[in-house]
Every structure is written in C-alpha cells, then in structure tokens.
Amino acid sequence: MAKTKNFILRLDEEMMNAIEAWAADEFRSTNGQLQWIISEALKKSGRMKKKKKKETQENTDNEK
C-alpha cells in the first residue's frame, strides 16, 4: 500500500463548493476527489506513469 503524506490545502469557497459537488456526483469523498483530480493531472502531464490494468487489478486484489 502506498504511503500517504498529509498537508494543508487552502481553497477559496467557490472552488471548494465546486469540488464538493463534483465529488458527490462521482460518489467520492472530497479528499478522494482531490486525489483523483491531482492523479489525472499528473498522468496527463507525463509527470506520473499511468498504471497498467494488470498492476491496478493486482493492487485491488491485494487490498481485499
């Protein structure tokens, strides 16, 4: 399992409201939505490798 780091993030009210609404639409927590947004941006920019389906499936199976 990946080690996580905590940090403080300050967002204006309008941005936070939009993220909370988006998270609710996707059935995610606000924190989960922020992690997904950041992960997608990193993959899209080429700064983080995209996981192969097999690796993702193995990780999911190991968490159960």
Side-chain angles (χ1 to χ4, degrees):
M1 191 156 103
K3 189 173 182 180
T4 61
K5 290 182 126 183
N6 298 328
F7 69 98
I8 296 173
L9 176 64
R10 291 178 181 86
L11 301 172
D12 64 42
E13 186 175 0
E14 183 179 4
M15 187 180 295
M16 190 62 188
N17 289 339
I19 292 169
E20 288 172 336
W22 190 5
D25 291 345
E26 301 280 331
F27 302 104
R28 289 188 180 107
S29 66
T30 303
N31 188 65
Q33 189 69 20
L34 286 166
Q35 288 177 321
W36 180 82
I37 291 167
I38 294 166
S39 176
E40 290 300 306
L42 288 168
K43 289 174 193 172
K44 186 176 178 180
S45 71
R47 296 178 186 273
M48 192 169 126
K49 286 194 227 177
K50 294 181 182 179
K51 289 185 178 179
K52 296 178 186 175
K53 283 189 176 188
K54 186 175 180 180
E55 288 177 355
T56 303
Q57 185 62 40
E58 288 173 359
N59 290 340
T60 303
D61 291 344
N62 290 337
E63 291 175 1
K64 291 180 181 177

